[in-house]
Amino acid sequence: MLDHPEGLAKKGKSPHHSAAREAFEEAGVVGAVAKHSVGSFSYEKQLKSGGAVVCEVRVFPLEVRRQNKQWPEKQERVAKWLSASQAAEKVKEPKLSAIILRLARRYD
């Protein structure tokens, strides 16, 4: 399970394609992404300027087919494969934790 991608949708790209792009950039994973969100949550993102903005995150499941050996943010992140329950414990957002657990139950 991966933490949520935080990218903004690019003009002309659907939200699920943007989520798949972020999953690749952040963890090198490639696969089939669902067209419909399975949930959402809000969080406050701190800006480099010192300000903050509230972001609404929509979660799209991605069936991982492979993880590339190299990806754009590999040097900035540590990718680790976890069970759904372990991932739900690690994420900071309670609503994301609930989404992960609900999604895992659906596919058990």
Side-chain angles (χ1 to χ4, degrees):
M1 240 348 126
L2 297 174
D3 196 0
H4 61 283
E6 297 175 350
L8 298 173
K10 293 207 175 192
K11 190 173 185 176
K13 292 288 182 184
S14 64
H16 69 281
H17 280 112
S18 294
R21 184 195 74 245
E22 283 297 308
F24 172 73
E25 290 177 2
E26 294 183 4
V29 294
V30 178
V33 64
K35 291 182 180 180
H36 300 286
S37 168
V38 293
S40 65
F41 63 93
S42 298
Y43 78 101
E44 192 172 276
K45 183 173 185 166
Q46 298 300 313
L47 302 174
K48 291 177 184 175
S49 65
V53 62
V54 175
C55 294
E56 177 74 16
V57 177
R58 291 171 52 196
V59 179
F60 295 88
L62 177 92
E63 182 180 346
V64 177
R65 297 204 173 119
R66 73 175 189 274
Q67 183 178 32
N68 290 2
K69 292 185 182 200
Q70 297 295 322
W71 59 86
E73 297 181 20
K74 185 173 184 175
Q75 302 306 315
E76 302 168 38
R77 302 178 184 278
V78 176
K80 185 174 181 179
W81 290 95
L82 303 170
S83 68
S85 60
Q86 290 171 320
E89 287 179 17
K90 294 270 185 194
V91 297
K92 296 174 187 170
E93 300 294 331
K95 287 185 179 179
L96 178 57
S97 180
I99 292 167
I100 291 169
L101 292 173
R102 185 178 72 240
L103 198 57
R105 283 191 300 274
R106 185 184 300 174
Y107 292 100
D108 276 349

